[in-house]
Amino acid sequence: MLAEKAALTKGFEIFERMSEHEQVIFCNDPSTGLRAIIAIHDTTLGPALGGCRMQPYSSVDEALEDVLRLSKGMTYKCAAADVDFGGGKAVIIGDPKKDKSPELFRAFGQFVNSLGGRFYTGTDMGTTMDDFIYAMKETNFVNGLPEVYGGGGDSSIPTAEGVLYGLKATNQWLSGEDDLGQHRYAIQGLGKVGFKVASGLLQAGAHIYVTDINAASLREIEAVAAKTTGKVQVVANEDIYAQEADIFVPCAFGGIINDTTIPQLTVKAIVGSANNQLLEDRHGKLLRDKGILYAPDYIVNAGGLIQVADELYGSNHERVLAKTKHIYDAILEVYKEATGSGKTTEESANAMCEKRIADGKKRNSFYSVPVKPKWSIRTLS
């Protein structure tokens, strides 16, 4: 009997894994080689919004795990940023250096369009706006567009601004002053966002420690430092955690706050743009017990999301920057709530987002009516 039950349930564990999600779509187009997964986590607050990343996952299981985790994170990020979207994400299985083609992204655009506006997407790790120019020939549900296509342009600009506001708020909480220049920062990663954050800190007169796998980026930030009153010191990748800095600023990979790195940290706080910085929820508790303040990453890095969401209302840079400034207040609110409740900052931020979603459910039920596109890109193809 037990063997029969096991046989009946074998293979159905995927439904348990996606039990928190509304919908998971496997996209297959043999003619173009497209193998993709779209995950829609929650549309209480609006249609799902999330970028599409492309990487050579070692298995379908790995790709599924990634898209489920990322889409859930987008639900919380959208709730925290108070934009009228829910959480979603897409992943394409393939090597972005050799498996891309116009036909593949057109096929992906067709799958996105088949969802009728329940999911909006755009660039992420491994994909570029050039890729989505082809997807846009098949669907209007693409955000994060260049200005020439009616979008807001480079989303790393408001993302970096949001990180700087998060750093200011953290300095305010720790020292009573939000000045950036009187502190030391250990910055991991000098990509589009990290480089802008590092530049902003140097211009404020700060002392920064930096690391990156790209030697050219390290040379460029040294050139920036030479023109400012700030100071920069390049360190090895593995040494960035142990620097005598006030704040650790992760702007590269996720999962970098873990059992190996936490013992090395001597900072007072962690504030950065990298997604999913805590490898496990328990690592937030370990940080708290060590006296290290953690700014939830999905609040700190919300500037880019704010810009992408703003496109549906007609892109407006001043409006985006005005809303990005609220990251400062949001971070302070999380710190205050966590201090009063005894929760970790991550638990406090999650609770605030969950309340916002619960309040949304009182206003409306399952989202099913797509947002009407305000423009069409098909005329450009």
Side-chain angles (χ1 to χ4, degrees), residues 155-168 180-181 183-210 221 224 228 230-232 247-252 271-274 300-301 303:
S155 62
S156 70
I157 296 174
T159 302
E161 285 290 326
V163 175
L164 292 172
Y165 281 123
L167 290 168
K168 285 184 176 182
L180 292 173
H183 304 276
R184 294 172 176 247
Y185 308 86
I187 305 175
Q188 183 185 50
L190 294 175
K192 290 182 179 179
V193 175
F195 191 91
K196 292 179 178 65
V197 171
S199 298
L201 291 173
L202 288 172
Q203 289 165 10
H207 186 155
I208 64 174
Y209 305 91
V210 298
I221 201 63
V224 172
T228 71
K231 297 180 181 180
V232 62
I247 301 180
F248 176 47
V249 188
C251 295
V271 185
S273 66
V300 174
N301 65 19

Side-chain angles (χ1 to χ4, degrees), residues 6 48 59 75 121 128 153 159 163 169-170 227 231 319-320 330 333 370 373:
S59 65
T75 294
T121 193
T128 69
T159 302
V163 175
T170 302
K227 300 176 182 178
K231 297 180 181 180
R319 186 169 60 216
V320 169
E333 184 180 358

Side-chain angles (χ1 to χ4, degrees), residues 46-64:
L49 174 65
C52 172
R53 63 176 49 183
M54 183 177 186
Q55 62 184 68
Y57 295 97
S58 61
S59 65
V60 173
D61 188 72
E62 183 185 2
L64 178 62

